[in-house]
Coordinates of all heavy atoms in Angstrom, one line a residue:
M499 N 125.7 -40.5 186.7 CA 127.0 -39.9 186.8 C 128.1 -40.8 186.2 O 129.0 -40.4 185.5 CB 127.3 -39.6 188.2 CG 128.5 -38.8 188.4 SD 128.4 -37.2 187.8 CE 130.0 -36.6 188.2
L500 N 128.0 -42.1 186.6 CA 129.0 -43.1 186.1 C 128.9 -43.3 184.6 O 129.8 -43.7 183.9 CB 128.9 -44.4 186.8 CG 129.4 -44.5 188.2 CD1 129.2 -45.9 188.8 CD2 130.9 -44.2 188.2
A501 N 127.7 -43.0 184.0 CA 127.5 -43.2 182.6 C 128.4 -42.2 181.8 O 128.7 -42.4 180.6 CB 126.0 -43.0 182.2
Y502 N 128.7 -41.1 182.4 CA 129.6 -40.1 181.8 C 131.1 -40.3 182.1 O 131.9 -40.0 181.3 CB 129.2 -38.7 182.2 CG 127.8 -38.3 181.8 CD1 126.8 -38.1 182.7 CD2 127.4 -38.2 180.4 CE1 125.5 -37.8 182.4 CE2 126.1 -37.9 180.1 CZ 125.1 -37.7 181.0 OH 123.9 -37.5 180.7
V503 N 131.3 -40.6 183.4 CA 132.7 -40.7 183.9 C 133.5 -41.9 183.3 O 134.6 -41.8 182.9 CB 132.7 -40.7 185.4 CG1 134.1 -40.9 186.0 CG2 132.1 -39.4 185.9
I504 N 132.8 -43.1 183.3 CA 133.5 -44.3 182.9 C 134.0 -44.2 181.4 O 135.1 -44.5 181.1 CB 132.7 -45.5 183.1 CG1 132.6 -45.7 184.7 CG2 133.3 -46.7 182.5 CD1 131.8 -46.9 185.1
P505 N 133.1 -43.8 180.4 CA 133.6 -43.6 179.1 C 134.7 -42.6 178.9 O 135.7 -42.7 178.2 CB 132.4 -43.2 178.3 CG 131.3 -43.7 179.0 CD 131.7 -43.6 180.5
L506 N 134.6 -41.5 179.7 CA 135.7 -40.5 179.7 C 137.0 -41.0 180.2 O 138.1 -40.8 179.6 CB 135.3 -39.3 180.6 CG 136.3 -38.2 180.7 CD1 136.5 -37.5 179.4 CD2 135.9 -37.2 181.8
C507 N 137.0 -41.8 181.3 CA 138.2 -42.4 181.8 C 138.7 -43.5 180.9 O 140.0 -43.6 180.7 CB 137.9 -43.1 183.2 SG 137.6 -41.9 184.5
M508 N 137.9 -44.2 180.2 CA 138.3 -45.2 179.3 C 139.0 -44.5 178.1 O 140.0 -45.0 177.5 CB 137.2 -46.1 178.8 CG 136.7 -47.0 179.9 SD 135.2 -48.0 179.4 CE 135.9 -49.1 178.2
T509 N 138.5 -43.4 177.7 CA 139.1 -42.6 176.6 C 140.5 -42.1 177.0 O 141.5 -42.2 176.2 CB 138.2 -41.4 176.2 OG1 136.9 -41.9 175.8 CG2 138.8 -40.7 175.0
I510 N 140.6 -41.6 178.2 CA 141.9 -41.0 178.6 C 142.9 -42.1 178.8 O 144.1 -42.0 178.4 CB 141.7 -40.3 179.9 CG1 140.9 -39.0 179.7 CG2 143.0 -39.9 180.6 CD1 140.4 -38.3 180.9
I511 N 142.5 -43.3 179.3 CA 143.4 -44.4 179.5 C 143.8 -45.0 178.1 O 144.9 -45.5 177.9 CB 142.8 -45.4 180.5 CG1 142.8 -44.8 181.9 CG2 143.7 -46.7 180.5 CD1 142.1 -45.7 182.9
G512 N 142.8 -45.0 177.2 CA 143.1 -45.5 175.8 C 144.2 -44.6 175.2 O 145.1 -45.1 174.5
I513 N 144.1 -43.3 175.3 CA 145.1 -42.4 174.8 C 146.4 -42.6 175.4 O 147.5 -42.6 174.8 CB 144.6 -40.9 175.0 CG1 143.4 -40.6 174.1 CG2 145.8 -39.9 174.7 CD1 142.8 -39.3 174.4
A514 N 146.4 -42.9 176.7 CA 147.7 -43.2 177.4 C 148.3 -44.5 176.9 O 149.5 -44.6 176.7 CB 147.5 -43.3 178.9
A515 N 147.4 -45.5 176.6 CA 147.9 -46.7 176.0 C 148.5 -46.5 174.6 O 149.5 -47.1 174.3 CB 146.8 -47.8 176.0
I516 N 147.9 -45.7 173.9 CA 148.5 -45.4 172.5 C 149.8 -44.7 172.7 O 150.8 -45.0 171.9 CB 147.5 -44.5 171.7 CG1 146.2 -45.3 171.4 CG2 148.1 -44.0 170.5 CD1 145.1 -44.5 170.8
L517 N 150.0 -43.8 173.6 CA 151.2 -43.1 173.8 C 152.3 -44.1 174.3 O 153.5 -44.0 174.0 CB 151.1 -42.0 174.8 CG 150.3 -40.8 174.3 CD1 150.1 -39.8 175.4 CD2 151.0 -40.2 173.1
N518 N 151.9 -45.1 175.1 CA 152.8 -46.2 175.5 C 153.3 -47.0 174.4 O 154.4 -47.4 174.3 CB 152.1 -47.1 176.6 CG 152.1 -46.4 177.9 OD1 153.0 -45.7 178.3 ND2 151.1 -46.7 178.7
V519 N 152.4 -47.3 173.4 CA 152.8 -48.1 172.3 C 153.8 -47.3 171.4 O 154.8 -47.8 170.9 CB 151.6 -48.5 171.4 CG1 152.0 -49.0 170.1 CG2 150.7 -49.5 172.2
V520 N 153.6 -46.0 171.3 CA 154.6 -45.1 170.6 C 155.9 -45.2 171.3 O 157.0 -45.3 170.7 CB 154.0 -43.7 170.5 CG1 155.1 -42.7 170.0 CG2 152.8 -43.6 169.6
R521 N 155.9 -45.1 172.7 CA 157.2 -45.2 173.4 C 157.8 -46.6 173.3 O 159.0 -46.7 173.2 CB 157.0 -44.8 174.9 CG 158.2 -45.0 175.8 CD 159.4 -44.3 175.3 NE 159.2 -42.9 175.2 CZ 160.1 -42.1 174.5 NH1 161.1 -42.6 173.9 NH2 159.8 -40.8 174.4
L522 N 157.0 -47.6 173.2 CA 157.5 -49.0 173.0 C 158.2 -49.1 171.7 O 159.2 -49.7 171.6 CB 156.3 -49.9 173.1 CG 156.6 -51.4 173.1 CD1 157.5 -51.8 174.3 CD2 155.4 -52.2 173.1
V523 N 157.6 -48.5 170.6 CA 158.2 -48.6 169.3 C 159.4 -47.7 169.1 O 160.5 -48.1 168.6 CB 157.2 -48.3 168.2 CG1 157.8 -48.2 166.8 CG2 156.1 -49.4 168.3
L524 N 159.4 -46.5 169.6 CA 160.4 -45.5 169.4 C 161.4 -45.4 170.5 O 162.3 -44.5 170.4 CB 159.8 -44.1 169.1 CG 158.8 -44.0 167.9 CD1 158.2 -42.6 167.9 CD2 159.6 -44.4 166.7
G525 N 161.2 -46.1 171.6 CA 162.1 -46.0 172.8 C 163.6 -46.1 172.4 O 164.0 -47.0 171.7
P526 N 164.4 -45.2 172.9 CA 165.8 -45.3 172.4 C 166.6 -46.4 173.1 O 167.5 -47.0 172.4 CB 166.4 -43.9 172.9 CG 165.5 -43.5 174.0 CD 164.2 -44.0 173.7
D527 N 166.3 -46.8 174.3 CA 167.0 -47.9 175.0 C 166.0 -49.0 175.3 O 164.8 -48.8 175.4 CB 167.6 -47.3 176.3 CG 168.7 -46.3 176.0 OD1 169.3 -46.4 174.9 OD2 168.9 -45.4 176.8
M528 N 166.6 -50.1 175.7 CA 165.8 -51.3 176.1 C 165.1 -51.0 177.4 O 163.9 -51.4 177.5 CB 166.7 -52.6 176.2 CG 165.9 -53.8 176.4 SD 164.6 -54.1 175.2 CE 165.6 -54.6 173.8
P529 N 165.7 -50.4 178.4 CA 164.9 -50.1 179.6 C 163.7 -49.2 179.4 O 162.7 -49.4 180.1 CB 165.9 -49.5 180.6 CG 167.2 -50.0 180.1 CD 167.1 -50.1 178.6
D530 N 163.8 -48.3 178.5 CA 162.6 -47.5 178.1 C 161.5 -48.3 177.5 O 160.3 -48.1 177.8 CB 163.0 -46.4 177.1 CG 163.9 -45.4 177.7 OD1 163.9 -45.1 178.9 OD2 164.7 -44.8 177.0
R531 N 161.9 -49.3 176.7 CA 160.9 -50.2 176.1 C 160.2 -51.1 177.2 O 159.0 -51.4 177.1 CB 161.5 -51.0 175.0 CG 161.8 -50.1 173.8 CD 162.3 -50.9 172.7 NE 162.4 -50.0 171.5 CZ 163.5 -50.0 170.7 NH1 164.6 -50.7 171.0 NH2 163.5 -49.1 169.7
V532 N 161.0 -51.6 178.1 CA 160.5 -52.4 179.1 C 159.5 -51.7 180.0 O 158.5 -52.1 180.4 CB 161.7 -53.1 180.0 CG1 161.1 -53.8 181.2 CG2 162.5 -54.0 179.1
L533 N 159.9 -50.4 180.4 CA 159.0 -49.6 181.2 C 157.7 -49.3 180.4 O 156.7 -49.2 181.0 CB 159.8 -48.3 181.6 CG 159.0 -47.4 182.5 CD1 158.8 -48.1 183.8 CD2 159.8 -46.1 182.7
A534 N 157.8 -49.0 179.1 CA 156.6 -48.7 178.3 C 155.7 -50.0 178.3 O 154.5 -49.9 178.4 CB 157.0 -48.3 176.9
L535 N 156.3 -51.2 178.2 CA 155.5 -52.4 178.1 C 154.9 -52.6 179.5 O 153.7 -53.0 179.6 CB 156.4 -53.6 177.8 CG 155.7 -54.9 177.5 CD1 154.8 -54.7 176.3 CD2 156.7 -56.0 177.2
D536 N 155.6 -52.3 180.6 CA 155.0 -52.5 181.9 C 153.8 -51.5 182.1 O 152.8 -51.9 182.6 CB 156.1 -52.2 182.9 CG 155.7 -52.6 184.3 OD1 155.0 -53.6 184.5 OD2 156.0 -51.8 185.3
T537 N 154.0 -50.3 181.7 CA 152.9 -49.3 181.8 C 151.8 -49.6 180.9 O 150.6 -49.4 181.2 CB 153.5 -47.9 181.5 OG1 154.7 -47.7 182.3 CG2 152.5 -46.8 181.8
L538 N 152.1 -50.2 179.7 CA 151.0 -50.6 178.8 C 150.1 -51.7 179.4 O 148.9 -51.6 179.3 CB 151.6 -51.1 177.5 CG 150.6 -51.5 176.4 CD1 149.8 -50.3 176.0 CD2 151.4 -52.1 175.2
Y539 N 150.7 -52.7 180.1 CA 149.8 -53.7 180.6 C 149.1 -53.2 181.8 O 147.9 -53.6 182.1 CB 150.6 -55.0 181.0 CG 151.1 -55.2 182.4 CD1 150.3 -55.6 183.4 CD2 152.5 -54.9 182.7 CE1 150.8 -55.7 184.7 CE2 152.9 -55.1 183.9 CZ 152.1 -55.5 184.9 OH 152.6 -55.6 186.2
I540 N 149.6 -52.2 182.5 CA 148.8 -51.6 183.6 C 147.7 -50.8 183.0 O 146.5 -50.8 183.6 CB 149.7 -50.7 184.5 CG1 150.7 -51.6 185.3 CG2 148.9 -49.8 185.4 CD1 151.8 -50.9 186.0
N541 N 147.9 -50.1 181.9 CA 146.8 -49.4 181.3 C 145.7 -50.3 180.8 O 144.5 -50.1 180.9 CB 147.3 -48.5 180.2 CG 148.0 -47.2 180.7 OD1 147.7 -46.8 181.8 ND2 148.9 -46.7 179.9
A542 N 146.1 -51.4 180.2 CA 145.2 -52.4 179.7 C 144.4 -53.0 180.9 O 143.2 -53.3 180.8 CB 145.9 -53.6 179.0
L543 N 145.1 -53.2 182.0 CA 144.4 -53.7 183.2 C 143.3 -52.7 183.7 O 142.2 -53.1 184.0 CB 145.5 -53.9 184.3 CG 145.1 -54.6 185.6 CD1 144.8 -56.0 185.3 CD2 146.2 -54.4 186.6
A544 N 143.7 -51.4 183.7 CA 142.7 -50.4 184.1 C 141.5 -50.3 183.1 O 140.4 -50.2 183.5 CB 143.4 -49.0 184.1
L545 N 141.8 -50.5 181.8 CA 140.7 -50.5 180.8 C 139.8 -51.7 181.1 O 138.5 -51.6 181.0 CB 141.2 -50.6 179.4 CG 141.7 -49.2 178.8 CD1 142.4 -49.5 177.5 CD2 140.5 -48.3 178.7
I546 N 140.3 -52.8 181.4 CA 139.5 -54.0 181.6 C 138.7 -53.9 182.9 O 137.5 -54.2 182.9 CB 140.4 -55.3 181.7 CG1 140.9 -55.6 180.3 CG2 139.6 -56.5 182.2 CD1 142.0 -56.7 180.3
V547 N 139.2 -53.3 183.9 CA 138.5 -53.1 185.2 C 137.4 -52.1 184.9 O 136.2 -52.3 185.4 CB 139.4 -52.6 186.3 CG1 138.7 -52.1 187.5 CG2 140.3 -53.8 186.7
L548 N 137.7 -51.0 184.2 CA 136.6 -50.0 184.0 C 135.5 -50.6 183.1 O 134.3 -50.3 183.3 CB 137.2 -48.8 183.2 CG 137.9 -47.8 184.1 CD1 138.7 -46.7 183.3 CD2 137.0 -47.1 185.1
F549 N 135.9 -51.4 182.1 CA 134.9 -52.0 181.3 C 134.0 -53.0 182.1 O 132.8 -53.1 181.9 CB 135.5 -52.8 180.1 CG 134.6 -53.2 179.0 CD1 134.0 -52.2 178.3 CD2 134.3 -54.5 178.8 CE1 133.1 -52.5 177.3 CE2 133.5 -54.8 177.7 CZ 132.8 -53.8 177.0
G550 N 134.6 -53.7 183.1 CA 133.9 -54.6 184.0 C 132.9 -53.8 184.9 O 131.8 -54.3 185.2
I551 N 133.4 -52.6 185.4 CA 132.5 -51.8 186.2 C 131.3 -51.3 185.3 O 130.2 -51.3 185.7 CB 133.2 -50.6 186.8 CG1 134.2 -51.1 187.8 CG2 132.3 -49.6 187.4 CD1 135.2 -50.1 188.3
W552 N 131.6 -50.9 184.1 CA 130.6 -50.4 183.2 C 129.5 -51.4 182.8 O 128.3 -51.1 182.8 CB 131.3 -49.9 181.9 CG 130.4 -49.0 181.0 CD1 129.4 -48.2 181.4 CD2 130.6 -48.8 179.6 NE1 128.9 -47.5 180.3 CE2 129.6 -47.9 179.2 CE3 131.4 -49.4 178.7 CZ2 129.5 -47.5 177.9 CZ3 131.3 -49.0 177.4 CH2 130.3 -48.1 177.0
L553 N 130.0 -52.7 182.6 CA 129.0 -53.7 182.3 C 128.5 -54.5 183.6 O 127.6 -55.3 183.4 CB 129.7 -54.8 181.4 CG 130.0 -54.3 180.0 CD1 130.6 -55.4 179.2 CD2 128.8 -53.7 179.3
A554 N 129.0 -54.2 184.7 CA 128.7 -54.8 186.0 C 128.8 -56.3 185.9 O 128.0 -57.1 186.3 CB 127.2 -54.5 186.4
S555 N 130.0 -56.8 185.4 CA 130.3 -58.2 185.3 C 131.6 -58.5 186.1 O 132.6 -57.8 186.1 CB 130.6 -58.5 183.8 OG 131.0 -59.8 183.6
D556 N 131.5 -59.7 186.8 CA 132.6 -60.1 187.6 C 133.7 -60.8 186.8 O 134.8 -60.9 187.2 CB 132.1 -61.1 188.7 CG 131.2 -60.4 189.7 OD1 131.3 -59.2 189.8 OD2 130.4 -61.1 190.4
L557 N 133.4 -61.2 185.6 CA 134.3 -62.0 184.8 C 135.5 -61.1 184.4 O 136.7 -61.6 184.3 CB 133.6 -62.4 183.5 CG 134.5 -63.3 182.5 CD1 134.8 -64.6 183.2 CD2 133.7 -63.5 181.3
F558 N 135.3 -59.8 184.2 CA 136.4 -58.9 183.8 C 137.4 -58.7 184.9 O 138.6 -58.5 184.7 CB 135.8 -57.6 183.3 CG 135.1 -57.7 182.1 CD1 133.7 -57.7 182.1 CD2 135.8 -57.7 180.9 CE1 133.0 -57.8 180.9 CE2 135.1 -57.8 179.7 CZ 133.7 -57.8 179.7
F559 N 136.9 -58.8 186.2 CA 137.9 -58.6 187.3 C 138.8 -59.8 187.4 O 139.9 -59.7 187.8 CB 137.1 -58.4 188.6 CG 136.2 -57.1 188.5 CD1 134.9 -57.2 188.5 CD2 136.8 -55.9 188.4 CE1 134.1 -56.1 188.4 CE2 136.1 -54.7 188.3 CZ 134.7 -54.8 188.3
E560 N 138.2 -61.0 187.1 CA 139.1 -62.2 187.2 C 140.1 -62.2 186.1 O 141.3 -62.5 186.3 CB 138.2 -63.5 187.1 CG 137.3 -63.7 188.3 CD 136.3 -64.8 188.1 OE1 136.5 -65.5 187.1 OE2 135.5 -65.0 188.9
A561 N 139.7 -61.7 184.9 CA 140.7 -61.5 183.8 C 141.7 -60.5 184.1 O 142.9 -60.7 183.8 CB 139.9 -61.1 182.5
A562 N 141.3 -59.4 184.8 CA 142.3 -58.4 185.2 C 143.3 -58.9 186.2 O 144.5 -58.6 186.2 CB 141.6 -57.2 185.8
L563 N 142.9 -59.8 187.1 CA 143.8 -60.4 188.1 C 144.8 -61.3 187.4 O 146.0 -61.2 187.7 CB 143.0 -61.2 189.1 CG 143.7 -61.8 190.2 CD1 144.4 -60.8 191.1 CD2 142.8 -62.7 191.1
L564 N 144.3 -62.1 186.4 CA 145.3 -62.9 185.7 C 146.3 -62.1 184.9 O 147.5 -62.4 184.9 CB 144.5 -63.9 184.7 CG 143.7 -65.0 185.4 CD1 142.9 -65.7 184.4 CD2 144.7 -65.9 186.1
I565 N 145.8 -61.0 184.3 CA 146.7 -60.2 183.5 C 147.7 -59.5 184.5 O 148.9 -59.3 184.1 CB 145.9 -59.1 182.7 CG1 145.2 -59.8 181.6 CG2 146.8 -58.0 182.2 CD1 144.3 -58.9 180.8
A566 N 147.3 -59.1 185.6 CA 148.2 -58.5 186.6 C 149.3 -59.4 187.0 O 150.5 -59.0 187.1 CB 147.4 -58.0 187.8
V567 N 149.0 -60.7 187.3 CA 150.0 -61.6 187.7 C 150.9 -61.9 186.6 O 152.2 -62.0 186.8 CB 149.3 -62.9 188.2 CG1 150.3 -64.0 188.4 CG2 148.5 -62.7 189.5
M568 N 150.4 -62.1 185.4 CA 151.3 -62.4 184.3 C 152.2 -61.2 183.9 O 153.3 -61.4 183.5 CB 150.5 -62.8 183.0 CG 149.7 -64.2 183.2 SD 150.8 -65.5 183.6 CE 151.7 -65.7 182.1
G569 N 151.6 -60.0 184.0 CA 152.4 -58.9 183.8 C 153.6 -58.7 184.8 O 154.7 -58.3 184.4
F570 N 153.3 -58.9 186.0 CA 154.3 -58.8 187.1 C 155.4 -59.9 186.8 O 156.6 -59.5 186.9 CB 153.7 -59.0 188.4 CG 154.8 -59.1 189.5 CD1 155.4 -57.9 189.9 CD2 155.1 -60.3 190.1 CE1 156.4 -57.9 190.9 CE2 156.1 -60.3 191.1 CZ 156.7 -59.1 191.5
V571 N 155.0 -61.1 186.5 CA 156.0 -62.1 186.3 C 156.9 -61.8 185.1 O 158.1 -62.0 185.0 CB 155.3 -63.5 186.2 CG1 156.3 -64.6 185.7 CG2 154.8 -63.9 187.5
S572 N 156.2 -61.3 184.0 CA 157.0 -61.0 182.8 C 157.9 -59.8 183.0 O 159.0 -59.8 182.5 CB 156.0 -60.8 181.6 OG 155.3 -59.6 181.9
T573 N 157.5 -58.9 183.8 CA 158.4 -57.7 184.1 C 159.6 -58.2 184.8 O 160.7 -57.7 184.6 CB 157.6 -56.6 184.8 OG1 156.5 -56.2 184.0 CG2 158.5 -55.4 185.1
V574 N 159.4 -59.0 185.8 CA 160.5 -59.6 186.6 C 161.5 -60.4 185.7 O 162.7 -60.3 185.8 CB 160.0 -60.4 187.8 CG1 161.2 -61.1 188.5 CG2 159.4 -59.5 188.8
A575 N 160.9 -61.2 184.8 CA 161.7 -62.0 183.9 C 162.5 -61.2 183.0 O 163.7 -61.5 182.7 CB 160.8 -63.0 183.2
V576 N 161.9 -60.2 182.4 CA 162.6 -59.3 181.4 C 163.7 -58.5 182.2 O 164.8 -58.4 181.7 CB 161.7 -58.4 180.7 CG1 162.4 -57.3 179.9 CG2 160.8 -59.2 179.8
G577 N 163.4 -58.0 183.4 CA 164.4 -57.3 184.1 C 165.6 -58.2 184.5 O 166.8 -57.8 184.4
K578 N 165.3 -59.4 184.9 CA 166.4 -60.3 185.2 C 167.2 -60.7 184.0 O 168.4 -60.8 184.1 CB 165.8 -61.6 185.9 CG 166.9 -62.5 186.5 CD 166.2 -63.6 187.3 CE 167.3 -64.5 187.9 NZ 166.8 -65.6 188.6
H579 N 166.6 -60.8 182.8 CA 167.3 -61.1 181.6 C 168.2 -59.9 181.2 O 169.3 -60.1 180.7 CB 166.3 -61.4 180.5 CG 166.9 -61.6 179.1 ND1 167.7 -62.6 178.8 CD2 166.9 -60.8 178.0 CE1 168.2 -62.5 177.6 NE2 167.7 -61.4 177.1
L580 N 167.7 -58.7 181.4 CA 168.5 -57.5 181.1 C 169.7 -57.4 182.0 O 170.8 -56.9 181.6 CB 167.7 -56.3 181.1 CG 166.7 -56.1 180.0 CD1 165.9 -54.8 180.3 CD2 167.4 -56.0 178.7
L581 N 169.6 -57.8 183.3 CA 170.7 -57.7 184.2 C 171.7 -58.8 184.1 O 172.9 -58.6 184.1 CB 170.1 -57.7 185.7 CG 169.5 -56.4 186.1 CD1 168.9 -56.5 187.5 CD2 170.4 -55.2 186.0
H582 N 171.2 -60.0 184.0 CA 172.1 -61.2 184.0 C 172.3 -61.9 182.7 O 173.2 -62.7 182.6 CB 171.7 -62.2 185.1 CG 171.6 -61.6 186.5 ND1 172.7 -61.2 187.1 CD2 170.5 -61.3 187.3 CE1 172.4 -60.7 188.3 NE2 171.0 -60.7 188.4
G583 N 171.4 -61.7 181.8 CA 171.5 -62.4 180.5 C 170.8 -63.8 180.5 O 170.6 -64.4 179.5
E584 N 170.4 -64.3 181.7 CA 169.6 -65.5 181.8 C 168.4 -65.3 182.7 O 168.5 -64.5 183.6 CB 170.5 -66.6 182.4 CG 171.7 -67.0 181.6 CD 172.5 -68.1 182.2 OE1 172.1 -68.6 183.3 OE2 173.6 -68.5 181.7
I585 N 167.4 -66.0 182.4 CA 166.2 -65.9 183.2 C 166.2 -66.9 184.4 O 165.9 -66.6 185.5 CB 164.9 -66.1 182.4 CG1 164.8 -65.0 181.3 CG2 163.7 -66.1 183.2 CD1 163.7 -65.1 180.4
I586 N 166.6 -68.1 184.1 CA 166.7 -69.2 185.1 C 168.1 -69.4 185.4 O 168.9 -69.8 184.5 CB 166.0 -70.5 184.6 CG1 164.5 -70.2 184.3 CG2 166.1 -71.5 185.7 CD1 163.8 -71.3 183.7
D587 N 168.5 -69.3 186.7 CA 169.9 -69.5 187.1 C 170.1 -71.0 187.4 O 169.5 -71.7 188.0 CB 170.2 -68.7 188.3 CG 170.3 -67.2 187.9 OD1 170.6 -66.9 186.8 OD2 170.0 -66.4 188.8

């Protein structure tokens, strides 16, 4: 059953990632682009986790954890830069 479901989910999340890249390039405002980038790293995270489940490897979960931490920190930094103009006060 997982042999059919995981590739289907990876395809759907891959399409969502492509749509996020389109929004990142064509977004009218900077907050739209930041939101698209945030959603893009979450989709990449989901793809990595699904690929790790598909291959039954623990290495992908550690990589997904590192990407999640870096994505959160980068989203906070960009949001702070957009609000105040500086990242470090």
